[in-house]
Amino acid sequence: MDRGFDPNMSSNESPMELGSGYFGCSHYRRRCKIRTPCCDEIFDCRHCHNESKNALEIDPLDRHDVPRHDLKRVICSLCDTEQDVQQHCVKCGVCMGKYFCHKCKFFDDDISKNQYHCNECGICRTGGEENFFHCDKCGCCYSNLLKDSHNCMERAMHHNCPVCFEFLFDTTKDITVLRCGHTIHLECVKEMGRHYKYSCPVCSKSYCDMSRVWEKLDREVASTPMPKMYLNKMVWILCNDCGESSEVNYHILAHKCLKCNSYNTRQTRGGPASCSSDITEMIGFSPSQFP
């Protein structure tokens, strides 16, 4: 994305600053383009390539991602010289990216992201190396705040986001770890909350403190008497939060786990089917009501 760079106005700038901020795409500010090794075409970055080559109009058999570590050629955005991957242009000397990783063949002029290369992940990440640790079991980097509190899950980010289906391991968006250990885009969790969805889309466990919701449900259930024909009706339920099965009195609104008091349950047998997954929407709880 050329922002109207005028070389005559910047002739006194150093190679590190010359053209900085004027070139790149919606994903990165950088002063080079890449020639992809997979299809021998020129793109602003690998994300631009992947979006183009995985579009709906592309034959599914032809869709693919660029093998990022196989990149061998880049094109300087200032003088259009094609060359081997390196930080400074061999012709005009301009710095093609203030942050440069020779392992990932990655360039970025926006160093405010505090990029760093994680050898264990094998890719560059953002946020500052001092603020993250690599969990060998999960196979990814997490914030230091989660070092002693997260639930380990093997290859935790080597899958698609369960909401938007973008691959999480190398996403450029913020990621959060739910209580159960499953990973998901932070914005996707917020979007779930806006739709009254407070359980993990992978395992169905509650991902936040629902005690206030369960207390309100206690009152709702108590104030909603069942018809006489259902007073002694018993059903079996499975708790999504603790995994306990129990036999409880049937109720049209929801069924409470006898072990952990959660209403995040599902009816497994006996009586008319019911579902507690949308119960927070029924009683009008919103994300702002959670601490």
Side-chain angles (χ1 to χ4, degrees), residues 143-273:
S143 166
N144 288 335
L145 298 174
L146 298 172
K147 193 163 189 177
D148 299 316
S149 60
H150 77 284
N151 290 320
C152 282
M153 187 165 293
E154 192 169 353
R155 296 177 63 83
M157 287 201 297
H158 292 260
H159 62 85
N160 295 335
C161 172
V163 174
C164 70
F165 303 110
E166 180 185 349
F167 190 59
L168 288 175
F169 186 69
D170 56 3
T171 182
T172 58
K173 302 173 185 176
D174 291 334
I175 294 174
T176 188
V177 186
L178 303 182
R179 289 181 173 186
C180 54
H182 291 115
T183 50
I184 187 174
H185 284 130
L186 180 59
E187 184 53 40
C188 289
V189 174
K190 294 179 179 178
E191 184 65 21
M192 286 171 57
R194 287 190 283 268
H195 290 83
Y196 305 100
K197 306 296 183 183
Y198 300 111
S199 60
C200 172
V202 178
C203 67
S204 297
K205 290 186 178 181
S206 301
Y207 62 76
C208 54
D209 182 6
M210 299 291 286
S211 57
R212 290 167 57 195
V213 182
W214 304 157
E215 289 172 3
K216 186 170 183 179
L217 264 172
D218 281 338
R219 296 191 292 270
E220 292 285 340
V221 170
S223 62
T224 309
M226 292 296 292
K228 186 176 181 179
M229 62 182 294
Y230 287 119
L231 287 180
N232 298 316
K233 180 66 179 178
M234 304 295 289
V235 294
W236 281 91
I237 61 170
L238 173 67
C239 179
N240 293 323
D241 287 337
C242 71
E244 186 78 6
S245 292
S246 52
E247 189 178 23
V248 299
N249 286 104
Y250 172 75
H251 199 282
I252 191 65
L253 285 182
H255 298 118
K256 184 176 184 176
C257 175
L258 299 181
K259 181 180 180 181
C260 69
N261 297 323
S262 169
Y263 278 98
N264 181 15
T265 62
R266 66 184 76 177
Q267 185 179 321
T268 55
R269 54 192 169 95

Side-chain angles (χ1 to χ4, degrees), residues 94-161:
V94 70
C95 175
M96 293 186 282
K98 292 180 182 178
Y99 175 83
F100 171 68
C101 176
H102 70 279
K103 294 180 179 178
C104 291
K105 321 293 178 61
F106 174 60
F107 303 79
D108 197 351
D109 271 335
D110 183 6
I111 55 176
S112 66
K113 301 174 185 176
N114 294 319
Q115 300 94 327
Y116 69 97
H117 181 85
C118 175
N119 287 321
E120 289 79 10
C121 285
I123 61 174
C124 290
R125 297 201 176 280
T126 60
E129 187 173 8
E130 69 280 3
N131 299 316
F132 292 84
F133 73 99
H134 183 87
C135 177
D136 291 329
K137 183 174 182 180
C138 293
C140 53
C141 289
Y142 287 143
S143 166
N144 288 335
L145 298 174
L146 298 172
K147 193 163 189 177
D148 299 316
S149 60
H150 77 284
N151 290 320
C152 282
M153 187 165 293
E154 192 169 353
R155 296 177 63 83
M157 287 201 297
H158 292 260
H159 62 85
N160 295 335
C161 172

